[in-house]
Amino acid sequence: MTSSSSPDLLIVGAGMAGLTLAAALADQPVSIVVIDPHLPAGPEQWPATFDPRVSALTQASENMLRRLGAWDAMAAQRVAPFAHMDVWDGDGTGNIQFHASEAGAEHLGHIVENRITTHALYQRVAAASNVEIRCLGLEKILDNEQGGWRVVLSDGSEVEPTLLIGADGARSRVRDQLGFRCRTWAYGQSAIVTTVKTDKPHGDTARQVFLESGPLAFLPLREHSRQSQSTLCSIVWSLNDDQLKPVMALSDEAFCERLGNVFEHRLGKVLATDQRFAFPLVQNHAVDYIQSGVALIGDAAHTIHPLAGQGINLGLLDAAVLAEEIQRALEHELPLDDFSILRRYQRRRKPHNLLLMSTMEAFKRLFGVDIPPLRVARNLGMSFFNRHTLIKGQIMARAMGMEGDLPALAQPGLVADF
Ligand SMILES: Cc1cc2nc3c(=O)[nH]c(=O)nc-3n(C[C@H](O)[C@H](O)[C@H](O)COP(=O)(O)OP(=O)(O)OC[C@H]3O[C@@H](n4cnc5c(N)ncnc54)[C@H](O)[C@@H]3O)c2cc1C
């Protein structure tokens, strides 16, 4: 494709959401420009350590990434399937376990480093005949005086797309510059993420303990996709802001000891840790995902507490649904800025995202209180759910992303290798 200053689509942001949208429309009769000042680096530039940012990818996300031709490249690097989940209340006796076999599946999901997913998608998009990727940022968005947008890039060049896509993450400039209203609340918390080595193997189990300050997750990792008996985990530890500094300041040895204690030594001692990173936790939801000629996807539209492990899974679904609506418009020869396309996208995605966000918020609040009757009730509730296979089945279907209005890309029907 030739460099165009008026492509059909300008996607701002080459993260997992933006690249999924471009990959879903690869080699279709639609011209696409993707911009990002930080394009995904390849394995040759990766440090030998694990990426501290990992995601628990659902079955629905795996289906999409397989159909988009990214999964094989990801599995050739490393993906870690998990077949079990163990969740418990750190303040009581409540616990619930999920097993893939109860859902007739081999696994419940995969833990994958974000850089592996992004790079595999990037390779797919870079090979597409209709996509141009530019290593540039968005500077400003102007009205082009014909009812469309004129987007100024960081090198001063301008693009006038038919449709502008904000896939530029939690601090989206597209969203902020165009005045999309948001409902935002900071939790007064941050999450510490790092990779740790434990005494005992994780047994392909994702574990999460609910502490008064927030959840602590141990997510199973593997050195390479086919390895088992690994003792490496990625941890996501939510802490109140006043607790964060002292924990970040601990020596590695003291940090491992504290982490092992809080985690009740479920995997024996924590033997070693990589460098720690802290991410502030904010829940944010755009009131609308669309305006004339613009749509937001992924974290630009919504950020969710990581206790759900759902952030990017929702973003990938946004991208797949929007791609489906764009394809529908192409089939019906509708112009891409036809507002009905965007309205259908918003109608299909917003209620689903909102439901998940409010469920997670309720969880967060329920486990954040230390009122004895509530503590007893939540412990009884967890143990009750644990005994009821029907309810558990519904929770698992949701955790695997296999419910609701799924786009064709996410539907079941492919044979899984891992
Ligand atoms: C601690 C933590 C743990 C998490 N765990 C999970 C999990 O287990 N499962 C899960 O599903 N999700 C998880 N998430 C959420 C997940 O990481 C995000 O939902 C996901 O990364 C969002 O992807 P995105 O493509 O929407 O945005 P991003 O990954 O933020 O990508 C945005 C892209 O836009 C680019 N960009 C920014 N500004 C501009 C600009 N002005 N011009 C051009 N480009 C720009 C950036 O360079 C970036 O490449 C977690 C998040 C945190 C903080």
Side-chain angles (χ1 to χ4, degrees), residues 108-138:
L108 294 168
H110 286 83
I111 307 299
V112 189
E113 295 153 76
N114 288 2
R115 68 183 175 197
I116 288 181
T117 310
T118 325
H119 185 251
L121 284 165
Y122 176 69
Q123 280 180 307
R124 171 68 192 98
V125 170
S129 55
N130 61 328
V131 186
E132 183 189 349
I133 305 175
R134 296 191 198 163
C135 188
L136 293 170
L138 171 142

Side-chain angles (χ1 to χ4, degrees), residues 28-322:
Q28 308 254 344
V30 52
S31 57
I32 303 174
V33 171
V34 180
I35 59 161
D36 196 315
H38 309 290
L39 292 177
E44 58 289 349
Q45 287 129 314
W46 294 343
T49 52
F50 282 79
D51 183 357
R53 293 197 63 163
V54 305
S55 297
L57 297 178
T58 59
Q59 182 66 56
S61 292
E62 178 189 338
N63 293 346
M64 286 188 263
L65 291 160
R66 279 185 187 279
R67 288 200 170 92
L68 295 176
W71 188 264
D72 286 349
M74 292 165 62
Q77 292 294 332
R78 54 189 175 206
V79 298
F82 59 97
H84 319 281
M85 272 169 72
D86 195 355
V87 181
W88 70 96
D89 186 342
D91 242 0
T93 54
N95 66 82
I96 186 163
Q97 287 99 28
F98 301 98
H99 304 285
S101 55
E102 293 172 302
E106 277 179 26
H107 53 256
L108 294 168
H110 286 83
I111 307 299
V112 189
E113 295 153 76
N114 288 2
R115 68 183 175 197
I116 288 181
T117 310
T118 325
H119 185 251
L121 284 165
Y122 176 69
Q123 280 180 307
R124 171 68 192 98
V125 170
S129 55
N130 61 328
V131 186
E132 183 189 349
I133 305 175
R134 296 191 198 163
C135 188
L136 293 170
L138 171 142
E139 276 304 310
K140 57 183 171 200
I141 307 172
L142 306 166
D143 199 326
N144 75 355
E145 290 166 10
Q146 287 139 40
W149 303 109
R150 186 152 59 89
V151 180
V152 183
L153 309 187
S154 50
D155 66 347
S157 62
E158 295 185 354
V159 181
E160 289 192 30
T162 310
L163 198 52
L164 171 63
I165 310 295
D168 49 345
R171 283 183 282 176
S172 167
R173 283 183 86 164
V174 174
R175 182 191 66 214
D176 294 348
Q177 285 198 18
L178 293 179
F180 279 87
R181 282 186 306 128
C182 289
R183 299 218 167 85
T184 308
W185 59 100
Y187 289 104
Q189 284 196 327
S190 293
I192 297 181
V193 298
T194 187
T195 308
V196 299
K197 185 168 174 54
T198 57
D199 197 18
K200 296 183 190 159
H202 51 59
D204 295 338
T205 303
R207 294 173 173 82
Q208 182 150 273
V209 52
F210 281 91
L211 306 164
E212 205 185 314
S213 58
L216 163 64
F218 270 56
L219 306 172
L221 294 175
R222 290 179 172 196
E223 298 269 12
H224 51 83
S225 294
R226 294 197 181 271
Q227 178 207 31
S228 57
Q229 296 295 306
S230 166
T231 51
L232 294 172
C233 285
S234 171
I235 64 128
V236 185
W237 187 3
S238 309
L239 286 168
N240 293 328
D241 284 341
D242 58 338
Q243 300 167 314
L244 180 74
K245 259 195 185 166
V247 175
M248 286 297 279
L250 291 173
S251 67
D252 282 357
E253 208 181 9
F255 175 76
C256 288
E257 196 178 332
R258 173 83 67 91
L259 186 63
N261 287 337
V262 176
F263 196 59
E264 303 167 13
H265 301 290
R266 295 267 173 142
L267 293 171
K269 280 189 176 170
V270 177
L271 302 174
T273 177
D274 266 350
Q275 190 185 349
R276 284 156 259 162
F277 296 86
F279 294 93
L281 298 179
V282 177
Q283 178 126 302
N284 190 37
H285 198 210
V287 174
D288 285 305
Y289 298 179
I290 56 171
Q291 279 183 24
S292 173
V294 193
L296 304 177
I297 62 172
D299 273 24
H302 44 75
T303 53
I304 179 171
H305 197 289
L307 84 89
Q310 286 292 342
I312 195 50
N313 295 294
L314 300 183
L316 298 190
L317 284 169
D318 292 348
V321 167
L322 183 56

